[in-house]
Amino acid sequence: MGLRFSSQPSESALKSGLGELPESCVAEIMTYMNPPEICKLATLNRAFRGASSADFVWESKLPSNYSVLLRRIFADFPSHLGKRGIYARLCRLNSLDDGTKKVWLDRSTGKLCLCVSAKGLSITGIDDRRYWNHIPTEESRFNSVAYLQQIWWFEVDGDVEFPFPAGKYSVFYRIHLGRASKRFGRRVCNTEHVHGWDVKPVRFQLWTSDGQYVTSQCFLNEPGKWAFYHAGDFVVENGNASTKVKFSMTQIDCTHTKGGLCLDSVLIYPSEFRKVKAFLNSS
């Protein structure tokens, strides 16, 4: 009879081996992992749990200008929080400018995202209820969208001045053709008043304080669902200084009216998200 050798260690041996790893060694390994992986490993044993709390682990996940972000986002940030607490706080939907903007870090990547509500944008005719109305909805993170009934001159402008971490960013308008509502607990969409968006394209423009400029145009043609229309990209070189970004969406051909559109917000995402988030590729 020969001896039998198992190619796979037993579960108890595996746990024992992991438990013997020095906490400092585990923490060093975690700097190469993404935040969800770190949180998952923290449940294995005491050494991994302790390593997952190390400041240098989470500092490697924070944007390099996180101290500038804290001063911009929070009026009085708690000084007792470690780097993991700072990361968790920045991953929340943090409100700015009377609640018209929200900024957060993507939990998986630590990349910064920013969103401007319809109420934080300059919309031609917004105060005339013959054209526009703000309507409540659960389909917006701001719980309200601007609904266009009909107008000749369509123009939506906005600007943001913020210390974006260095990198490349994309600007999107979140648009819905038709008016969605709930009926007997089910989502229904009325597209009866959608018109004019297939006659001439919408024009997008983007400017930055350091001289970048982008323009593009496209037709709006996806009724019944939320779509993200790409307005352009910009690059930030210095995350310690604020970058001012202006953006515009227009359809000002007055030979026809257009209407039946819901405007939720303008989003600024890291451009790399377009490769991994399918919903950003509407246009």
Side-chain angles (χ1 to χ4, degrees):
M1 293 178 66
L3 294 174
R4 291 185 178 181
F5 294 93
S6 173
S7 60
Q8 298 292 332
S10 67
E11 184 176 348
S12 60
L14 181 62
K15 288 186 176 180
S16 175
L18 291 175
E20 293 171 359
L21 285 173
E23 189 174 299
S24 59
C25 179
V26 174
E28 191 67 40
I29 294 171
M30 285 181 170
T31 61
Y32 296 94
M33 299 178 175
N34 62 42
E37 290 171 339
I38 294 171
C39 293
K40 187 175 182 180
L41 286 178
T43 63
L44 287 178
N45 57 40
R46 183 178 299 175
F48 277 70
R49 187 163 55 253
S52 71
S53 299
D55 271 354
F56 76 89
V57 170
W58 289 98
E59 189 159 15
S60 69
K61 310 306 170 189
L62 286 164
S64 59
N65 69 337
Y66 73 89
S67 59
V68 178
L69 295 176
L70 293 179
R71 291 195 295 270
R72 175 64 176 86
I73 298 172
F74 304 103
D76 185 20
F77 192 80
S79 59
H80 67 276
L81 287 181
K83 298 300 188 294
R84 184 173 69 171
I86 292 174
Y87 189 91
R89 188 66 62 89
L90 287 174
C91 285
R92 298 179 185 177
L93 286 177
N94 300 290
S95 296
L96 295 173
D97 300 343
D98 299 321
T100 60
K101 297 181 179 71
K102 293 188 183 294
V103 61
W104 68 98
L105 297 186
D106 179 74
R107 291 182 181 275
S108 297
T109 64
K111 300 293 185 179
L112 185 132
C113 309
L114 189 146
C115 184
V116 186
S117 73
K119 291 183 178 180
L121 301 171
S122 176
I123 303 175
T124 300
I126 190 63
D127 295 324
D128 192 329
R129 298 194 66 176
R130 292 175 300 172
Y131 306 129
W132 289 91
N133 287 287
H134 287 289
I135 58 175
T137 176
E138 297 177 355
E139 298 186 1
S140 168
R141 56 171 51 91
F142 296 99
N143 299 312
S144 172
V145 298
Y147 177 69
L148 172 64
Q149 299 184 80
Q150 180 173 287
I151 205 167
W152 294 90
W153 184 288
F154 175 82
E155 184 171 3
V156 180
D157 303 321
D159 63 80
V160 171
E161 189 165 358
F162 196 81
F164 294 95
K168 186 177 181 181
Y169 294 86
S170 297
V171 177
F172 301 89
Y173 278 77
R174 187 172 186 253
I175 300 292
H176 187 288
L177 294 183
R179 181 169 178 171
S181 61
K182 287 281 186 69
R183 183 176 299 169
F184 302 114
R186 298 182 62 184
R187 185 184 192 271
V188 294
C189 182
N190 183 354
T191 60
E192 178 184 358
H193 300 294
V194 176
H195 69 283
W197 306 110
D198 57 347
V199 179
K200 291 289 180 67
V202 166
R203 186 186 186 196
F204 297 100
Q205 296 182 86
L206 183 153
W207 306 260
T208 66
S209 52
D210 61 357
Q212 299 176 64
Y213 174 71
V214 181
T215 183
S216 62
Q217 59 182 25
C218 72
F219 289 95
L220 308 187
N221 53 14
E222 296 189 71
K225 68 175 185 177
W226 287 104
F228 291 78
Y229 289 92
H230 182 217
D233 300 337
F234 65 95
V235 176
V236 175
E237 300 287 352
N238 180 11
N240 293 316
S242 289
T243 299
K244 187 167 186 177
V245 185
K246 293 184 177 181
F247 34 84
S248 173
M249 175 183 179
T250 57
Q251 214 293 21
I252 55 177
D253 184 335
C254 293
T255 61
H256 67 284
T257 62
K258 35 268 176 189
L261 173 146
C262 285
L263 170 65
D264 172 44
S265 56
V266 170
L267 295 105
I268 301 178
Y269 280 147
S271 295
E272 64 200 67
F273 280 16
R274 298 192 74 190
K275 298 179 181 179
V276 296
K277 297 183 183 293
F279 65 85
L280 293 179
N281 295 307
S282 299
S283 62

